[in-house]
Amino acid sequence: MTLQQMISASKSIVFFGGAGVSTESGIPDFRSADGLYHQKYDVPPETLLSHGYFLKHTKEFYRFYREKMLCLGAKPNDAHFKLAQLEQAGRLKAVVTQNIDGLHQLAGSKKVYELHGSVYRNHCISCGKQYGVEKILQGEEIPLCSCGGVIKPDVVLYGEALDDRTVAGAVHAISNSDMLIIAGTSLAVYPAAGLVQYFNGNHLVLINRDPTPMDCCCELVIRDKVGEVLGQITAE
Ligand SMILES: [Zn+2]
């Protein structure tokens, strides 16, 4: 069966995506060869984006975060738009994403489980008050709440746990789906990658430029760019 045939035969598709879904929108992939990990910083990005570093070096964290993590000019690509169409057509039930860029919602997707949070949501670590991304963009080196507390992005940093409700929602969607499309992820990041183990449906498809540990278990493996592949799909 082709990808189109599988999609046309399915009624409750779930899409599980990683960084490779957003690279065609110009957002760098953390773990790829030309990604952030291979650029030069005094401190490795894995440390810069850790919970401990945020608490101890908040100013430096925000310098890096504003420069490298906030890609607010990025636009959704064909992958994002096609998934939104598939949802509207009643075929796709949910998008589960490891990305924090909000591009699925920008493209029109409604049901999105953001495993690693979103740059668009932020909160005060003292009183919990919520803030939009404008607050982070404002001039202050360290964005502060009206109560004086430090504001933190609702982004899951290294050393932090995933949000329980988001994980539960993703597990529920995946375990009730009849088709799972895994795309743009090396499946190297746990516990997020472990979620695909809950799939029990008919068609398991993987779209990724490089080989992954899941290739052997999939009905169909497509080694190509996610946007180019999904762009050719008819949504009805
Ligand atoms: Zn506060």
Side-chain angles (χ1 to χ4, degrees), residues 70-121:
L70 283 179
C71 304
L72 300 179
K75 295 193 171 58
N77 62 54
D78 284 351
H80 301 103
F81 287 121
K82 191 62 67 172
L83 292 165
Q85 287 171 23
L86 284 165
E87 183 182 35
Q88 203 158 25
R91 293 208 177 278
L92 184 129
K93 296 303 176 202
V95 168
V96 180
T97 182
Q98 296 174 311
N99 300 336
I100 57 173
D101 50 43
L103 290 180
H104 287 292
Q105 290 92 333
L106 263 180
S109 284
K110 303 292 181 220
K111 199 79 190 161
V112 183
Y113 295 103
E114 296 173 304
L115 295 173
H116 295 163
S118 169
V119 298
Y120 288 97
R121 297 187 300 271

Side-chain angles (χ1 to χ4, degrees), residues 124-129 131 145-151:
C124 168
I125 59 173
S126 299
C127 75
K129 187 177 176 186
Y131 290 90
C145 178
S146 48
C147 82
V150 173
I151 296 170

Side-chain angles (χ1 to χ4, degrees), residues 159-170:
E160 293 180 340
L162 304 191
D163 176 64
D164 285 340
R165 277 172 54 193
T166 307
V167 172

Side-chain angles (χ1 to χ4, degrees), residues 31-45:
R31 289 165 195 280
S32 75
D34 51 354
L36 280 177
Y37 283 5
H38 297 265
Q39 297 177 9
K40 280 180 190 158
Y41 290 94
D42 295 341
V43 182

Side-chain angles (χ1 to χ4, degrees), residues 141-155:
E141 287 190 315
I142 298 175
L144 296 177
C145 178
S146 48
C147 82
V150 173
I151 296 170
K152 180 188 170 294
D154 288 8
V155 164

